[in-house]
Amino acid sequence: METCPLCGRELIDGPSVNEHHLVPRSHRGRDKVRMHRVCHNKIHSVFSEKELARYYHTWERLLENEEILRFVAWVRKKDPAWYDRHDPRRRR
């Protein structure tokens, strides 16, 4: 069973899963990791690509952040296949 490296819930193939570069591609990151789409979106809503490249490029460092910890505590209660269909980047 494959699990999300951020929240620890099971990964179920489908729209709830996508890939994350721990070091953003814009900063020459190459390695991708499968994780929940909602967890991936949360990371990018909290940190800039510069912050991700400079400091928050490990799971341990991401989990040092209070907002990420609160999110993980909340999302762990959700079904592993759940994802938020609302994309905040599309707001007008």
Side-chain angles (χ1 to χ4, degrees):
M1 172 179 76
E2 184 182 14
T3 60
C4 177
L6 190 69
C7 73
R9 294 178 300 144
E10 180 181 0
L11 291 174
I12 298 172
D13 287 335
S16 67
V17 176
N18 69 3
E19 295 178 330
H20 172 64
H21 290 84
L22 277 169
V23 175
R25 288 184 304 171
S26 62
H27 292 267
R28 299 182 183 202
R30 301 278 183 252
D31 298 329
K32 296 185 284 186
V33 178
R34 286 172 34 95
M35 66 184 306
H36 287 113
R37 180 179 303 275
V38 67
C39 296
H40 187 206
N41 289 344
K42 183 62 177 180
I43 289 169
H44 286 285
S45 74
V46 173
F47 304 109
S48 69
E49 289 197 356
K50 191 178 211 178
E51 290 171 317
L52 289 169
R54 287 191 177 171
Y55 186 77
Y56 292 102
H57 51 79
T58 68
W59 302 112
E60 294 78 19
R61 288 183 176 184
L62 286 167
L63 291 168
E64 290 174 357
N65 180 275
E66 188 63 36
E67 188 171 348
I68 295 294
L69 284 175
R70 282 193 308 270
F71 168 79
V72 168
W74 172 79
V75 83
R76 279 189 178 150
K77 299 171 190 165
K78 301 285 186 189
D79 183 89
W82 178 85
Y83 75 103
D84 186 359
R85 290 179 175 95
H86 176 72
D87 187 351
R89 294 173 291 183
R90 293 187 181 175
R91 287 185 188 161
R92 293 179 188 235

